[in-house]
Amino acid sequence: MAEIPLRSYLHEIEKHIESGRTDQAISHSRYLLQVYPKCVDAYRLLGKSYLESQRYTDAGDIFQRVLSAVPDDFVSQVGMSIIREDEGNLDEAIWHMERAFEVQPSNNAIQEELRRLYAKRDNVEPPKIRLTRGALARLYYKGELYQQAISEIRSALAENSSRHDLQALLADIYIKINQRVEAADTALEVLRHLPNCMIAIKVMIQVLAGADREEELKNYRLRLAQLDPYTAFTSPETPNVEDVQDNAVRLEKLDWKPDQAAADADTPAWAASLGVDLADLAPSTESTLPDWLDDLSAPTEAAETPEATSSAFAFGEIAAASATQAEAAQPKVEEDIPDWLREAGWQSSAAEGMTRELHPRRRGEREPAR
């Protein structure tokens, strides 16, 4: 078998999915997980492959595990929304799509999908999509308005303390403003529920850097490298994992044959063939899911808890929209923000507090359900 950089391999799998070669994508993704049992990128691609193959049970299992490591993962939240609608659980479908909206509020496809889901639930399509506290906090974060972001996150957590995705964001903000004690406390609280949360692990690495706790630091670095092998090659000279050379992580490429697709389909307990205990990636609680995913009946903002048959939303449409939408669109708030935030086209609503509403544009005909 020929050697290939891990990033190149992941890119090839993505192309297989885009071209409809999901059998190959599944085989290659599972092979990667034999080599790197906790590689989050491989899990994400495997989930997308299962989703495109309409193997929704398998896809849901994988996406939930991705969310235990990356609780704000856009692809997984969209995938879970599609799966929950197909299962007939419209409330949870809306809940997950709202989380995707918080990550990319300027994504027109997400806005339209939320409008469709709301209309399906309420029999009325809303003219506007309300900007949740989580979305507003992330926009403040991107604009480096950290105190405003902290305020929104605290308000959101007061309403729903199980939003560990927002807790992880809060820990990251604390380390950016050099509040190391608060960063450590918040990150450790996240890791108590999501032991493999990458953001929280990265925060702990930064907290421990320079401290006389080398063994703990080494442990966190090892845990992070299991989730993203390229992080093992970061250094003071190359602190960003994106700057690590692709060739730093190489492996032999699977020599895929068509008969492997049948073998995959005939294996209901697919995880056993990986030699991986998937519980290693899931939180160490009695539930197999993080409690913020498990307790979807807890109220959140726009449609706090999230019934549906098959999804009319094409997953590939989200990916295409994501690639073209600017994610840096910012809300129009009050006079305490710079002009560049005011020019993003966000209109104030009459909702109390800092809540804002987005006026989305209409798209054309939706793709048929897959």
Side-chain angles (χ1 to χ4, degrees):
M1 292 187 285
E3 277 202 344
I4 184 173
L6 175 59
R7 283 178 180 154
S8 299
Y9 207 164
L10 293 167
H11 182 65
E12 285 191 12
I13 295 172
E14 185 77 58
K15 291 174 66 176
H16 285 316
I17 298 172
E18 292 172 357
S19 301
R21 299 187 294 269
T22 54
D23 289 343
Q24 293 188 51
I26 290 169
S27 295
H28 285 294
S29 298
R30 291 176 50 162
Y31 168 73
L32 279 182
L33 287 169
Q34 292 179 2
V35 182
Y36 300 106
K38 289 188 177 183
C39 179
V40 174
D41 288 333
Y43 273 100
R44 185 183 295 107
L45 290 173
L46 182 58
K48 289 177 67 175
S49 302
Y50 281 142
L51 187 68
E52 292 294 335
S53 302
Q54 297 187 353
R55 294 170 61 173
Y56 290 148
T57 299
D58 289 332
D61 180 74
I62 295 300
F63 285 140
Q64 287 165 350
R65 297 180 192 282
V66 174
L67 289 169
S68 75
V70 188
D72 61 352
D73 187 73
F74 177 78
V75 168
S76 297
Q77 294 289 10
V78 172
M80 287 305 303
S81 179
I82 293 171
I83 292 164
R84 293 304 182 228
E85 184 180 5
D86 184 79
E87 292 172 349
N89 192 334
L90 189 55
D91 286 338
E92 288 192 19
I94 290 173
W95 193 92
H96 283 288
M97 194 61 70
E98 288 175 338
R99 304 292 77 78
F101 170 73
E102 289 182 352
V103 177
Q104 293 192 17
S106 62
N107 190 314
N108 285 341
I110 292 294
Q111 297 167 23
E112 287 296 312
E113 189 59 12
L114 267 179
R115 288 156 63 92
R116 183 188 67 81
L117 289 170
Y118 289 147
K120 190 171 184 177
R121 183 189 64 185
D122 305 328
N123 296 320
V124 177
E125 182 175 299
K128 307 169 186 176
I129 300 297
R130 197 172 94 186
L131 191 63
T132 64
R133 290 190 183 278
L136 187 56
R138 293 182 186 281
L139 292 170
Y140 280 138
Y141 172 83
K142 291 177 182 179
E144 299 183 5
L145 298 170
Y146 296 132
Q147 292 303 325
Q148 291 92 328
I150 289 172
S151 177
E152 290 299 330
I153 292 172
R154 286 174 175 169
S155 296
L157 291 175
E159 297 170 2
N160 184 359
S161 61
S162 64
R163 288 291 304 274
H164 301 307
D165 56 329
L166 294 181
Q167 281 187 313
L169 180 63
L170 182 60
D172 191 39
I173 293 173
Y174 279 142
I175 199 66
K176 287 184 183 300
I177 61 177
N178 203 33
Q179 294 185 215
R180 302 174 73 82
V181 173
E182 292 85 352
D185 288 345
T186 307
L188 288 172
E189 175 63 18
V190 174
L191 291 170
R192 188 170 70 86
H193 298 276
L194 306 178
N196 294 291
C197 177
M198 295 180 71
I199 294 178
I201 292 173
K202 290 176 181 178
V203 168
M204 290 307 301
I205 290 172
Q206 294 179 71
V207 168
L208 294 171
D212 189 20
R213 300 170 72 172
E214 190 60 35
E215 196 61 33
E216 290 181 63
L217 181 60
K218 180 180 178 181
N219 177 59
Y220 281 115
R221 284 175 172 164
L222 176 60
R223 289 166 65 179
L224 185 61
Q226 290 175 328
L227 298 165
D228 180 358
Y230 281 96
T231 61
F233 298 90
T234 56
S235 66
E237 296 74 28
T238 312
N240 298 319
V241 68
E242 296 83 5
D243 297 329
V244 174
Q245 293 285 332
D246 290 357
N247 282 327
V249 181
R250 298 180 62 87
L251 72 159
E252 290 186 335
K253 183 178 179 180
L254 174 68
D255 184 14
W256 185 83
K257 295 178 175 59
D259 57 357
Q260 289 179 251
D264 285 345
D266 292 340
T267 309
W270 60 267
S273 70
L274 300 178
V276 178
D277 183 1
L278 289 180
D280 288 344
L281 192 61
S284 56
T285 61
E286 292 184 3
S287 173
T288 59
L289 302 181
D291 56 6
W292 69 277
L293 285 174
D294 203 18
D295 187 20
L296 293 178
S297 60
T300 55
E301 291 155 88
E304 309 300 354
T305 49
E307 302 171 275
T309 45
S310 85
S311 172
F313 188 51
F315 189 72
E317 185 178 355
I318 281 290
S322 172
T324 58
Q325 289 293 325
E327 293 185 39
Q330 307 294 340
K332 179 182 178 183
V333 264
E334 304 302 330
E335 60 273 1
D336 59 346
I337 66 171
D339 291 340
W340 62 269
L341 277 176
R342 299 177 182 277
E343 298 172 357
W346 296 80
Q347 298 184 11
S348 174
S349 72
E352 67 177 51
M354 299 296 292
T355 304
R356 296 292 179 266
E357 294 182 354
L358 174 64
H359 296 240
R361 296 193 302 269
R362 287 281 188 178
R363 289 185 290 117
E365 288 293 317
R366 199 183 316 278
E367 292 181 20
R370 297 192 178 188

